[in-house]
Amino acid sequence: MPHDETPAPTQAPPQPQPLNRSSAGSAAARLPAPRLPGAVDAAPAPWLLRLIAVGLVLAALNLRPAITSLGALLEEVREGLHMSGSVAGLLTSVPPLCFAVFGVMAPRLARRFGAGTVVCAGMAAIAAGLAIRPYIGSTAGFLAASALALMGIAVSNILMPVIVKRWFPDRVGTMTGLYSMALALGTALAAAVTVPLTGALGGNWQSGLAVWAVLAAVAVLPWIVLVRDRTPAPGQREATRSGRGSGTASASGAGSGAASGSASASGSGSADRSGPASASVSGPSSASVSGPVSASGSGSGSASAEAPALRITRSRTAWGLACFFGLQATAAYITMGWMPQIFRDAGVPAGTAGVLLAVTMAMGVPLAFVIPRVAGRLRQQGPIVVVLGLCGLIGYTGLYLAPAAGAWAWALLLGVANCAFPLALTMIGMRSRTGAGVVRLSAFAQSTGYLLSIPGPLLVGVLYQHSGGWGLPIALMAGLMIPQMVAGVLAGRDRTIEDEC
């Protein structure tokens, strides 16, 4: 017996018993995998994990300034480029359009190049787009350069939960809260200081927008180191050990079932090419939740039973998450693009209107850290969804009735409502049992959600131009809170996509 290596001296030596094939197989499954000569467990150094955390924070800081800095100066940009209200509405719809189109590409790019490489390229694209867009001098060029920056934002949006799941599998809630908090901080910072920065730089709106390229350039630096590093992530090491042993791992155990599915899309640099743990995100083994799964190791060569890939479009939970994500994105981009203009039209000075937007975004700094931790402890996240939706309804009602008199209160309430974003990211991580499932769910929910959110900001611009006021646009914003709450309650049920696909 493994727990009693020294038999009692009075007992006769046990007679060897014949083992049938099934008992031998189950016994082998319980034995630890043998170590190969020269094999080394390359655990990530503490400095590497700290660098990944720094990279996540810097990347998150750059995921919204391209949008909120523009919202603070939208009136000046419209005048400088001679935009109508409808064209300005189109401009505010570009972010979700780019997120929908380019977000679909993120898992494939991550499989091909590694998630760290893709995020590094994304930060470089943000820096380039923000640096050139103010100086092109035409609406079409401004839109094209904005799309370049938003392409980098889109792929990084998709891969942030993947990198967290892979490198910090035991701290998903904490790390999600950390980068969500950094995202909210970057959003608020750009909204608050863009107008003062523009004044300090001579009152030129081009300089006020271009200065945010510097922050994106700084964010490239830690990802360059991660691209060159070859240390396997914790999940990848588990899959590699399992593959070295018997060549077969149970997906329901602690072996490589989850890890191998996430290895290829969520590592740094060459995670998808770094040894036997590599598996395609959309491949047959990525959706396995039961039965043997090949670890592609150098073991005994036993046959592996491959489970079919997840058909995520069959999952009601996935569709609920996509709709919830899309509706909260609609509210967020309408707020970031149009809220300063709403306050300015109500008589609030431009600088104060920018600070009000910053207050709205800054509410996400503490709440983006608290909400994922609270949500992770609940079996169902529906109650949180309802609370956030009610805050949005009250805030929009106040914005309709007394936009200037209660401006600070409405900004605070709408800031609470906008914290549906970190909640959606948390639910993406909770609604799948494997890293591969998180990759596919993240890509599906975010890409489909952003696609659904495209008409919202554009429709607000059209309604504003043709109605001559903000009554109809604000009524539209308030009305969208109802289906957002319904979709969020559906997505927050205690189940996983593997249960439904």
Side-chain angles (χ1 to χ4, degrees):
M1 298 288 290
H3 59 277
D4 187 9
E5 296 180 357
T6 305
T10 58
Q11 294 177 345
Q15 297 297 321
Q17 297 293 330
L19 295 175
N20 59 37
R21 184 169 300 180
S22 62
S23 62
S26 60
R30 292 193 296 269
L31 293 176
R35 291 181 60 85
L36 295 179
V40 178
D41 290 339
W47 71 266
L48 178 60
L49 293 178
R50 286 194 292 268
L51 185 63
I52 293 170
V54 170
L56 284 169
V57 169
L58 286 175
L61 284 171
N62 283 278
L63 294 182
R64 293 298 179 269
I67 303 166
T68 52
S69 63
L70 177 60
L73 295 174
L74 184 59
E75 184 171 320
E76 288 76 10
V77 174
R78 285 178 59 191
E79 292 175 356
L81 297 178
H82 309 291
M83 290 183 186
S84 67
S86 298
V87 174
L90 176 63
L91 180 60
T92 56
S93 291
V94 170
L97 174 61
C98 290
F99 294 165
V101 172
F102 297 117
V104 176
M105 301 164 54
R108 180 173 296 181
L109 291 172
R111 289 196 299 271
R112 177 66 180 86
F113 301 106
T117 304
V118 176
V119 174
C120 183
M123 294 298 108
I126 296 171
L130 293 183
I132 64 177
R133 75 172 178 176
Y135 301 105
I136 292 181
S138 68
T139 300
F142 191 93
L143 288 170
S146 296
L148 175 62
L150 292 165
M151 176 180 67
I153 295 172
V155 294
S156 301
N157 262 337
I158 297 294
L159 295 177
M160 290 291 103
V162 177
I163 292 173
V164 167
K165 183 83 169 181
R166 183 168 182 242
W167 287 94
F168 304 95
D170 56 340
R171 287 176 283 171
V172 171
T174 299
M175 296 306 297
T176 299
L178 180 64
Y179 82 74
S180 297
M181 185 169 62
L183 187 151
L185 180 61
T187 306
L189 187 67
V193 306
T194 295
V195 172
L197 272 176
T198 302
L201 295 172
N204 190 335
W205 64 265
Q206 286 95 339
S207 301
L209 293 181
V211 71
W212 295 104
V214 177
L215 182 62
V218 172
V220 174
L221 301 178
W223 294 101
I224 292 176
V225 178
L226 295 174
V227 166
R228 297 176 61 85
D229 189 80
R230 295 296 182 265
T231 304
Q236 187 180 0
R237 295 197 310 278
E238 292 299 322
T240 303
R241 290 195 196 103
S242 210
R244 286 171 178 167
S246 63
T248 305
S250 170
S252 60
S256 64
S260 64
S262 62
S264 64
S266 54
S268 65
S270 61
D272 58 326
R273 311 183 292 276
S274 54
S278 178
S280 170
V281 171
S282 58
S285 66
S286 66
S288 176
V289 293
S290 63
V293 180
S294 172
S296 303
S298 55
S300 62
S302 60
S304 62
E306 294 183 344
L310 285 172
R311 297 183 179 179
I312 201 165
T313 54
R314 293 184 175 181
S315 169
R316 293 183 179 180
T317 298
W319 279 108
L321 261 174
C323 292
F324 177 66
F325 197 96
L327 289 166
Q328 69 80 28
T330 300
Y333 290 110
I334 290 174
T335 299
M336 286 186 281
W338 288 110
M339 198 173 84
Q341 193 63 48
I342 294 174
F343 286 127
R344 291 176 73 169
D345 288 350
V348 176
T352 305
V355 173
L356 285 167
L357 177 60
V359 168
T360 298
M361 300 296 108
M363 288 300 298
V365 175
L367 292 180
F369 192 76
V370 172
I371 287 177
R373 295 174 68 88
V374 175
R377 296 174 181 175
L378 299 177
R379 295 180 63 87
Q380 299 190 33
Q381 290 73 45
I384 303 178
V385 171
V386 173
V387 170
L388 298 181
L390 291 175
C391 288
L393 283 174
I394 298 171
Y396 286 129
T397 302
L399 200 59
Y400 178 85
L401 296 175
W408 296 101
W410 317 141
L412 288 170
L413 286 168
L414 292 175
V416 174
N418 276 343
C419 289
F421 176 71
L423 176 61
L425 293 183
T426 304
M427 288 196 290
I428 288 173
M430 298 176 67
R431 295 287 90 89
S432 176
R433 289 196 290 265
T434 68
V438 172
V439 174
R440 301 194 65 189
L441 182 57
S442 178
F444 175 78
Q446 294 198 48
S447 297
T448 305
Y450 284 128
L451 190 65
L452 294 174
S453 70
I454 292 170
L458 176 60
L459 185 56
V460 166
V462 172
L463 290 174
Y464 171 58
Q465 180 175 353
H466 290 281
S467 68
W470 287 106
L472 286 177
I474 292 174
L476 172 66
M477 301 177 211
L480 290 176
M481 285 287 105
I482 305 299
Q484 177 178 319
M485 287 189 284
V486 173
V489 170
L490 176 66
R493 295 177 300 171
D494 182 23
R495 59 187 65 191
T496 63
I497 57 173
E498 289 85 358
D499 298 330
E500 301 174 334
C501 296

